[in-house]
Amino acid sequence: MSGQRELHFVFFRKPDSFLESNERSGHVSGVHFEKTALKGGGPGKQYAVGTGEFEDLDCGMVLKSIGYKSVPVNGLPFDNHKGIVPNIRGRVLKNMSGDSSQVENGLYVCGWLKRGPTGIIATNLYCAEETVASISEDLEQGVLASSSGLLKPGREGLLQLLDNRNVRPVPFSAWEKIDSEEKRLGSLRNKPREKLTTYEDLLKVAT
């Protein structure tokens, strides 16, 4: 049929530069791409790297949608190119050297500030697990021992703090109710789930 449009997805390409039109100054005529390949192994741990091979794609319009880049945190080293706080398995480093002996004890990072704007939702799970594992290891090895020698109040202290601030926590059992209800609502619309989008609705289901 005349006038039909086709949509083609091309993966493993990283935009390098925009090409200006020879006929219309200030207008784009194409994009110069570098081909990429996946590096690393394990679920959620692969990332794209440039191959040094390039190609051009003709176009008359460019729509940019490349995610977000973290911003520096006061007092912490920051890799502006990667948009991350330098770290080893979530342990923040004192500088950009990558030397594991230069760790800021008791300071950790997770998410895009740790690895950059990469991956999918599930990637955050593996990212968080790695950082939590580092925290657990440091606790077991006494790295995070209190300098005052006094025991911290732990879970009970947190619950008391929330109560003092009139904050109502939602326990895991309540989250399971929310999860079940969202899946039920989704099944009515032939969807995996239908999200509850207001705080009131969430609390109503959780109770």
Side-chain angles (χ1 to χ4, degrees):
M1 295 175 61
S2 61
Q4 271 192 327
R5 297 289 189 269
E6 292 186 357
L7 177 64
H8 299 269
F9 291 97
V10 181
F11 298 96
F12 298 108
R13 300 292 188 275
K14 179 176 68 173
D16 180 76
S17 60
F18 297 128
L19 306 177
E20 185 178 8
S21 171
N22 292 324
E23 301 175 354
R24 301 177 64 193
S25 178
H27 288 73
V28 66
S29 65
V31 182
H32 188 55
F33 287 99
E34 180 179 12
K35 294 184 178 180
T36 63
L38 291 179
K39 183 178 180 180
K45 296 184 178 180
Q46 291 184 312
Y47 55 96
V49 295
T51 63
E53 184 179 351
F54 296 84
E55 70 176 11
D56 294 339
L57 177 67
D58 295 335
C59 68
M61 177 185 295
V62 175
L63 303 178
K64 186 171 67 173
S65 178
I66 57 174
Y68 299 88
K69 183 178 180 180
S70 299
V71 296
V73 177
N74 290 336
L76 295 182
F78 188 75
D79 187 326
N80 282 291
H81 178 68
K82 296 181 179 179
I84 64 170
V85 169
N87 69 92
I88 295 179
R89 298 182 61 239
R91 296 181 177 93
V92 173
L93 298 177
K94 295 180 180 179
N95 52 48
M96 305 289 294
S97 66
D99 184 355
S100 60
S101 67
Q102 299 296 312
V103 170
E104 287 278 6
N105 288 336
L107 196 57
Y108 304 87
V109 66
C110 193
W112 284 0
L113 191 59
K114 171 186 173 183
R115 69 178 191 276
T118 62
I120 56 177
I121 293 177
T123 309
N124 292 314
L125 173 63
Y126 296 109
C127 176
E129 286 179 341
E130 182 181 64
T131 298
V132 170
S134 294
I135 296 173
S136 297
E137 290 172 7
D138 292 347
L139 281 170
E140 292 173 359
Q141 296 173 9
V143 176
L144 300 181
S146 174
S147 58
S148 66
L150 299 176
L151 292 177
K152 295 184 177 181
R155 180 176 185 273
E156 293 305 318
L158 174 61
L159 292 176
Q160 184 61 55
L161 178 63
L162 293 175
D163 184 61
N164 292 342
R165 296 181 178 180
N166 294 318
V167 176
R168 178 183 173 185
V170 176
F172 182 70
S173 58
W175 175 86
E176 288 181 313
K177 293 180 181 179
I178 294 172
D179 182 52
S180 178
E181 177 64 8
E182 288 183 343
K183 289 179 178 178
R184 186 190 70 81
L185 293 174
S187 67
L188 301 178
R189 302 188 178 189
N190 197 29
K191 297 167 57 179
R193 69 171 62 236
E194 179 72 15
K195 295 292 291 181
L196 298 172
T197 58
T198 69
Y199 189 62
E200 292 74 16
D201 286 343
L202 289 168
L203 286 182
K204 182 178 179 181
V205 172
T207 55

